[in-house]
Amino acid sequence: MASALCALLLLAALAGPLCLRLRRHPAFVTGRDGRLSTSTALALAWTVILVWLLLAILGYGLTAGGGVTYFRGADGPLSTLATVYLPLLGGPYVALIAAKTVVGLRVEHGSLAKPAAPPTASGRRPLRELIANDSGRTDLVDLQYVTLNAITMLYVVLFFLADAGAGLPRLPEEIWALTGAPAGAYLVNKIATRANPVITGASVSGDHLTVEGGGFADARLTVDGTPVPTRTDPLTGSLTAPLPPQAHPPLTLVVTARGLRSDPYCYEPPAIPAQPTRSR
């Protein structure tokens, strides 16, 4: 019980300051577009867990474990490091490196649109971006990648806390598939994703609508199913269009470019703050 409590305190000491740092300055786990990067976040999480396991085992071995003899033998506390835990870490890191390479090459060759993420009111990035596409809709591939990795991390942490003195938990070697297979699906999704236009924001000024996003080459815009003439801003790449006379917010916006449609984007006017009443 004491060793498990010490291990928990060590995990809090490692993860706590890191989480606070990332909450205030998340740039370390964001991609080129400013959104949270799923592959970077999971690779970082697995790195923290593996470092925690090694430090906890080292601390136990130097105190209650009896020193150097604790680490010797074919069944020592680190005996499954190469067969189980390095493959567990390898899947997320392969996905991280390969995804960055694929996305960078596709953006460079114009086969993928990666518009900048819209700013948030708090300045922090929402965790939902880990399981969402660039349009903000939940992506099934990202969802399974995050979920299966989180479950595997929970297995490792709980089995280690159940017997911290035994070293790395004796999990089956096949458990690497819970991170390797989702990582492969995540990477294939990055390769296969089409260069659909992406709408990241919209605003209305008078009788004109401005749509922000990316992949708007030769784009056509529909507002509530009605096609409208558009003009592309050469500096920002945004689309400007007149509002149809019958259109009233909320509006459903869809951009079509090179035969590919964006996800529908629902525009709602910003709420007008209530004016405080003056007491007489």
Side-chain angles (χ1 to χ4, degrees):
M1 179 62 70
S3 58
L5 180 59
C6 291
L8 275 176
L9 292 175
L10 178 60
L11 180 59
L14 286 174
L18 179 62
C19 290
L20 289 176
R21 171 71 178 178
L22 293 178
R23 180 175 173 81
R24 296 171 182 170
H25 306 286
F28 183 71
V29 290
T30 56
R32 296 181 179 181
D33 54 5
R35 296 176 179 84
L36 292 180
S37 169
T38 304
S39 57
T40 302
L42 290 181
L44 176 61
W46 273 114
T47 301
V48 171
I49 287 179
L50 186 57
V51 169
W52 167 64
L53 290 172
L54 295 177
L55 289 178
I57 293 171
L58 176 62
Y60 182 89
L62 295 178
T63 54
V68 177
T69 55
Y70 170 71
F71 296 93
R72 294 176 178 171
D75 295 326
L78 302 180
S79 59
T80 57
L81 179 63
T83 58
V84 176
Y85 292 91
L86 291 184
L88 275 179
L89 187 66
Y93 266 93
V94 169
L96 167 63
I97 297 171
K100 285 185 177 295
T101 302
V102 168
V103 171
L105 289 174
R106 293 195 63 187
V107 170
E108 181 179 349
H109 290 86
S111 61
L112 183 66
K114 293 293 288 183
T120 60
S122 63
R124 303 187 181 108
R125 304 310 308 172
L127 288 177
R128 191 178 181 280
E129 289 183 343
L130 294 176
I131 59 170
N133 59 21
D134 292 344
S135 299
R137 302 182 68 184
T138 300
D139 188 297
L140 181 59
V141 176
D142 288 3
L143 177 62
Q144 61 87 29
Y145 187 33
V146 172
T147 301
L148 290 179
N149 271 272
I151 292 174
T152 309
M153 292 177 196
L154 188 62
Y155 264 81
V156 172
V157 171
L158 292 182
F159 274 101
F160 178 72
L161 293 176
D163 189 5
L168 294 175
R170 300 299 198 274
L171 298 176
E173 295 181 8
E174 294 80 7
I175 199 172
W176 70 267
L178 288 178
T179 61
Y186 175 82
L187 179 57
V188 170
N189 186 52
K190 292 294 184 183
I191 297 174
T193 298
R194 299 186 300 172
N196 292 60
V198 177
I199 301 176
T200 59
S203 59
V204 173
S205 177
D207 59 352
H208 278 74
L209 170 70
T210 300
V211 179
E212 300 173 346
F216 291 165
D218 301 322
R220 293 183 292 109
L221 173 67
T222 61
V223 179
D224 291 338
T226 303
V228 293
T230 59
R231 181 176 61 86
T232 304
D233 188 320
L235 296 179
T236 64
S238 60
L239 300 178
T240 304
L243 278 176
Q246 70 279 12
H248 301 285
L251 307 173
T252 300
L253 313 177
V254 175
V255 172
T256 303
R258 297 187 295 268
L260 301 175
R261 298 174 72 249
S262 69
D263 290 332
Y265 182 91
C266 182
Y267 166 77
E268 295 185 1
I272 301 176
Q275 297 294 330
T277 57
R278 295 182 179 180
S279 58
R280 296 184 178 180

